[in-house]
Amino acid sequence: MKKTCGSILFITAAVFLLAIQASAQQSLAEKLGYAADAKLLIIHADDIGLAQSVNDASSSAFASGGITSGSIMVPCPWFIDFAEHYKSHPHLDVGIHITLTSEWDYYKFGGVLPSTEIPSLLDENGYFYPTTQEVGQHADPVEAEKEIIAQIERAIAYGIKPTHLDTHMGSVLAKPELVEIYMKLGKEYGIPVFAPRMMLMGMPAEEREMIKEDYVLVDRIFMLNDIGPDASWEEEYGKMIEKISPGLNVMIVHLAYDNAEMQALAINHPAFGATWREKDLKYVQSQNFHDLLKENEIQLVTWKEIGALN
Amino acid sequence: MKKTCGSILFITAAVFLLAIQASAQQSLAEKLGYAADAKLLIIHADDIGLAQSVNDASSSAFASGGITSGSIMVPCPWFIDFAEHYKSHPHLDVGIHITLTSEWDYYKFGGVLPSTEIPSLLDENGYFYPTTQEVGQHADPVEAEKEIIAQIERAIAYGIKPTHLDTHMGSVLAKPELVEIYMKLGKEYGIPVFAPRMMLMGMPAEEREMIKEDYVLVDRIFMLNDIGPDASWEEEYGKMIEKISPGLNVMIVHLAYDNAEMQALAINHPAFGATWREKDLKYVQSQNFHDLLKENEIQLVTWKEIGALN
């Protein structure tokens, strides 16, 4: 059993917190027009804007129904390219993938704000730190808040209407002060905020209770993790799909084509690398995946639909 | 005749100014060990660092002898990737392609310095202006100097030993104050500076004479320009090669692969676009090109060799 779960980041009892009032009477599924015990699933592509390869793959997966939702990394080189694509596809369910880390070896990015305004977020070369742990160690919450707002505002300035907030590599969950900013901004912008239950951990019991009352908890996150590109995607995703249960589930995927750009970008990263990401793309676009979702009576939903309940 | 020349940027009497003492006794060719009337040629790839596709194509052309020299755009997303390649290829003749413009529609970059330190170089989104003309209109020379130094210093910090300075889209030639900074920095870093004779135009006669005495003038620049990707590269370069004459000649090429990244980056730019750049790459790597150079008794030289005369 441990082996089965080891290759999947299967956060049981993980939660999404949604900026909508919880109702004791109606489940989220019912509010969306489904049976109370419906299995809801968002198929979510991370990292849009990171590379041309990622944009191209994500656009293709949106067009074919392989994903329902995605989120964009505003400080990255290919952000504007996707914003331009969005202009002619404004129905797409796109959120802000709040970015405070720069994890690739030879392809780096810093913030949207001038480096002098956010020194605590940047390394000596002006790029974000590579790990979430370093964000936790160094980030000044005031600077982080300014940078996060600048990322949201830049997306809006380029025409994107974000449907939700989420966080690249979980960096916004690096410490309680950042979690508070993140949730507050979700409320201020009136859009759902994505975060696992661990963000509640650092909070006083009272505050935790208030959040549980104030937000809709979402139930399970699924994501391939800790597997190399040689693993069987059919098998790994097959195991995940069996675990999708009533409530709100989110499957996070990482899409790209296995081309020269992505290979060079992800050098030394077999996990989440070029081959790996093209396997994710092919899987979400496969008939087999969609047949399995149907057989398991899984209902696809979007962040936009959920946000509209507010 | 006009038609023949129209498609080629053939700057007769154009010059390169080199930060080495001119000698009345010996021509540059003689100093480099060639006959006094030798036809010297640098084959120079611009825009390294702009994209993965450009880095890959330029590395390939360096490896096969298709180019002798190139220069790197330090503020661009793929700068670090090339700096890493350079670590294992430190013999490469690489200069700084000083970058003050960001000309692509949906793929933008700003400076190395924080935007608050160089506001006169940036548009309202914090990116460089798209044209050299706008650099001339807006750039504060003090800010431009700081940014240029930061680009050179960042390249050095990442291990590159620049062999020369040149300028993306001629932006450093946008006005006399910038030209002065550019030449001064070449002297300060002890490396040759690349610039056409027009940079002398805005200077008082005395200063112009001093420059002529103080720098080695280089004679001709060749570059494909104003032609679409359907033109015959054989024919265009054939005409150029016939015009290479005794003295120092520089042929500027723009290399990339015609792949998804380059196509998306250069959307709406057929000239200097993906197909165009792969034709440049194929041409410099062709046997025919190198046969023509040999037939015309053209000697390939590098900026590094020229700088070493200093």
Side-chain angles (χ1 to χ4, degrees), chain A residues 52 56 74 77-82 84 87 105-108 112-117 124-127 154 157-158 259-262 264-265 267, chain B residues 52 56 74 77-82 84 87 105-108 112-117 124-127 154 157-158 259-262 264-265 267:
Chain A
Q52 197 281 327
D56 220 359
V74 178
W78 287 86
F79 154 68
I80 301 174
D81 174 77
F82 191 83
E84 192 58 28
K87 278 186 194 164
D105 293 1
Y106 311 127
Y107 183 83
K108 310 297 283 179
V112 160
L113 289 178
S115 54
T116 42
E117 292 189 24
E124 71 279 11
N125 292 309
Y127 301 119
R154 176 160 293 196
Y158 274 85
N259 60 17
E261 179 200 23
M262 199 63 216
L265 193 165
I267 196 165
Chain B
Q52 198 280 329
D56 219 0
V74 178
W78 287 85
F79 155 68
I80 301 173
D81 173 77
F82 191 82
E84 192 59 26
K87 278 187 191 161
D105 292 2
Y106 312 127
Y107 183 82
K108 310 298 283 179
V112 160
L113 288 178
S115 54
T116 41
E117 291 189 26
E124 71 280 10
N125 292 309
Y127 301 119
R154 175 159 294 197
Y158 275 85
N259 61 15
E261 180 200 22
M262 200 63 215
L265 193 165
I267 195 166

Side-chain angles (χ1 to χ4, degrees), chain A residues 87-288:
Chain A
K87 278 186 194 164
S88 52
H89 300 76
H91 60 283
L92 294 182
D93 187 36
V94 177
I96 308 298
H97 202 47
I98 295 169
T99 301
L100 301 175
T101 47
S102 177
E103 75 273 33
W104 308 102
D105 293 1
Y106 311 127
Y107 183 83
K108 310 297 283 179
F109 29 85
V112 160
L113 289 178
S115 54
T116 42
E117 292 189 24
I118 49 169
S120 72
L121 304 182
L122 306 177
D123 70 13
E124 71 279 11
N125 292 309
Y127 301 119
F128 287 132
Y129 290 106
T131 66
T132 297
Q133 196 183 12
E134 285 161 298
V135 175
Q137 283 162 4
H138 300 288
D140 171 72
V142 174
E143 293 177 13
E145 179 168 6
K146 276 198 301 186
E147 173 61 24
I148 296 168
I149 291 172
Q151 293 183 10
I152 300 169
E153 289 296 325
R154 176 160 293 196
I156 293 170
Y158 274 85
I160 290 173
K161 291 182 180 151
T163 59
H164 61 290
L165 300 182
D166 64 14
T167 163
H168 187 53
M169 296 171 65
S171 53
V172 164
L173 312 178
K175 57 185 175 188
E177 301 94 308
L178 299 185
V179 174
E180 283 180 42
I181 290 162
Y182 178 51
M183 297 175 60
K184 185 187 75 174
L185 291 177
K187 287 226 157 180
E188 285 179 9
Y189 283 95
I191 51 179
V193 164
F194 163 62
R197 184 178 290 277
M198 58 177 268
M199 65 173 255
L200 297 176
M201 302 303 182
M203 295 179 181
E206 266 179 43
E207 207 172 315
R208 204 157 41 187
E209 282 312 304
M210 188 204 74
I211 286 169
K212 281 188 190 167
E213 298 253 320
D214 219 22
Y215 291 75
V216 168
L217 303 190
V218 181
D219 305 294
R220 278 160 231 96
I221 303 171
F222 299 93
M223 182 173 111
L224 286 191
N225 204 4
D226 291 334
I227 61 164
D230 296 334
S232 162
W233 256 236
E234 292 283 336
E235 197 179 312
E236 297 293 337
Y237 276 107
K239 288 184 286 190
M240 274 188 204
I241 291 166
E242 282 175 20
K243 287 174 185 145
I244 293 175
S245 308
L248 185 52
N249 301 271
V250 173
M251 180 181 280
I252 299 172
V253 298
H254 297 84
L255 310 181
Y257 289 101
D258 186 6
N259 60 17
E261 179 200 23
M262 199 63 216
Q263 287 160 16
L265 193 165
I267 196 165
N268 307 331
H269 283 70
F272 301 101
T275 307
W276 201 101
R277 285 174 187 248
E278 185 165 306
K279 286 183 86 166
D280 246 15
L281 172 64
K282 284 191 174 152
Y283 188 75
V284 299
Q285 293 191 311
S286 69
Q287 192 57 49
N288 190 31

Side-chain angles (χ1 to χ4, degrees), chain B residues 21-51:
Chain B
Q21 292 297 319
S23 154
Q25 285 76 43
Q26 266 197 315
S27 72
L28 176 71
E30 286 171 300
K31 287 181 188 163
L32 292 170
Y34 298 102
D37 64 348
K39 300 174 192 174
L40 308 178
L41 177 66
I42 291 171
I43 311 171
H44 190 279
D46 281 18
D47 303 354
I48 298 173
L50 173 65

